[in-house]
Amino acid sequence: GGGGNCLDYVWDLAPDHPGGTYWYHAHHHGHTEEQVVGGAFGMLIVEDNLALNPDVPKWAANERLLLVHRAGGEGTGEVYGNGSPNEVMRMDAGQWYRLRVAIVDAMGEPDYLSFGAGCEVRKVASDGVWRSTVPGPRATRYLLTGSSRADFAVRCSSSFHVLYGGAKAATVYVGAEAAYPYEMEEWRPVRPESLRGIAEAEVPDENKYTVELTREGLNNILWDPSVPLRTIKYGEVHEWNLTRTASHPFHLHLYHVMVVQPGGCGEMHEEGEFYDEEDGEEDEDGE
């Protein structure tokens, strides 16, 4: 239809699809970058799947959402939080919150999301999938791709800024002490069936493959919907060695991959954890 019209979309999700933080964007080939720069994107939340994980901790429902948009690329563009140049959030002191973050950068550049002093911050999910153990280690900054999603458990004692690439994405005002603070205990979420058994699988040599990325194509194959990079069978486990991911984030629509590179792939991707976006400073990433 013409401009100004609205459509409702309905997606059917598998019964064991995990809840998670996502974002959507216009994807007309050849115009994606200009449309994303122009604001054709938004946050997309899949609620926690209590049938898969009935013991999701109570603090996980105490949410704050932050959609970070960098318009113009690393070091050159302004950063917005939830569409605002001065997004404001409020939290109670001493209370655990689940901060859902999505990064939107049309150039796909990795950068640091950082938090001010006075906060305990722990990553709990990447790209819509809980960590194998929740929460993760404590840190004050996290390297993310230009299209990452990440959930954090955050507990603060004083007000602070959330920065992306050193630019302010949001200001968080921390008020009085929480009357009923949530507890934080170690939790091991159940994986959906589609992600189980990958770590233990034996991958035959014919299912091992190197993928070189450029901004225009894969393995010197320019994008063409009629020319597949490879044809694979349903239900198999493959191991792909990704190269030059800094030139363009690697992603498989609808599919997460597990990092198997010993020690992980740089700061961004932990060994044994699942992601659907890979973009790093390393020359080679093993997924």
Side-chain angles (χ1 to χ4, degrees):
N5 291 341
C6 294
L7 296 174
D8 291 329
Y9 293 87
V10 178
W11 291 281
D12 292 323
L13 301 180
D16 74 335
H17 192 291
T21 303
Y22 299 91
W23 69 275
Y24 63 88
H25 66 89
H27 213 289
H28 187 277
H29 192 74
H31 297 281
T32 300
E33 189 171 304
E34 63 181 302
Q35 290 178 335
V36 170
V37 169
F41 60 83
M43 209 159 189
L44 181 63
I45 303 298
V46 180
E47 299 295 345
D48 288 316
N49 188 333
L50 298 182
L52 179 66
N53 280 296
D55 58 343
V56 173
K58 289 184 171 57
W59 60 263
N62 193 29
E63 298 179 342
R64 297 291 186 270
L65 308 181
L66 181 59
L67 179 59
V68 179
H69 177 214
R70 180 161 62 188
E74 183 179 10
T76 62
E78 296 181 345
V79 170
Y80 299 88
N82 296 342
S84 170
N86 188 29
E87 173 66 354
V88 173
M89 298 182 182
R90 284 173 168 71
M91 296 181 178
D92 294 335
Q95 182 64 285
W96 283 108
Y97 292 83
R98 177 186 187 173
L99 178 62
R100 295 180 181 262
V101 178
I103 306 294
V104 179
D105 179 353
M107 300 304 294
E109 298 286 352
D111 220 326
Y112 284 100
L113 185 80
S114 56
F115 300 84
C119 291
E120 180 177 355
V121 182
R122 297 174 180 268
K123 195 176 185 184
V124 297
S126 297
D127 296 342
V129 176
W130 289 108
R131 290 185 87 257
S132 52
T133 302
V134 174
R138 183 172 180 172
T140 58
R141 67 176 193 167
Y142 294 85
L143 187 62
L144 299 175
T145 77
S147 49
S148 286
R149 284 84 58 224
D151 292 14
F152 301 93
V154 180
R155 180 174 63 177
C156 301
S157 59
S158 58
S159 300
F160 64 98
H161 296 308
V162 180
L163 307 178
Y164 186 63
K168 184 172 66 174
T171 298
V172 180
Y173 290 112
V174 177
E177 197 76 20
Y180 301 100
Y182 296 108
E183 295 182 2
M184 174 65 69
E185 297 178 347
E186 185 176 284
W187 177 56
R188 293 180 178 272
V190 175
R191 299 288 193 204
E193 185 176 354
S194 60
L195 301 183
R196 294 176 200 160
I198 294 179
E200 299 79 25
E202 291 189 15
V203 183
D205 287 343
E206 60 267 25
N207 287 358
K208 296 181 179 180
Y209 193 59
T210 294
V211 178
E212 182 182 32
L213 290 94
T214 67
R215 289 199 66 82
E216 303 300 329
L218 299 170
N219 289 4
N220 295 318
I221 300 174
L222 297 181
W223 182 84
D224 185 332
S226 64
V227 180
L229 178 66
R230 192 154 196 209
T231 300
I232 62 179
K233 293 180 180 179
Y234 182 81
E236 291 183 334
V237 177
H238 288 244
E239 183 177 317
W240 289 9
N241 183 50
L242 306 180
T243 64
R244 297 190 63 192
T245 57
S247 64
H248 189 291
F250 173 85
H251 58 287
L252 292 169
H253 289 186
L254 306 178
Y255 293 96
H256 287 80
V257 299
M258 187 185 72
V259 172
V260 298
Q261 175 97 355
C265 299
E267 296 182 52
M268 205 179 312
H269 303 108
E270 296 179 74
E271 180 184 0
E273 301 296 342
F274 285 93
Y275 305 86
D276 65 14
E277 297 282 352
E278 288 71 40
D279 178 356
E281 303 165 305
E282 310 296 310
D283 288 332
E284 296 187 354
D285 296 344
E287 271 81 33

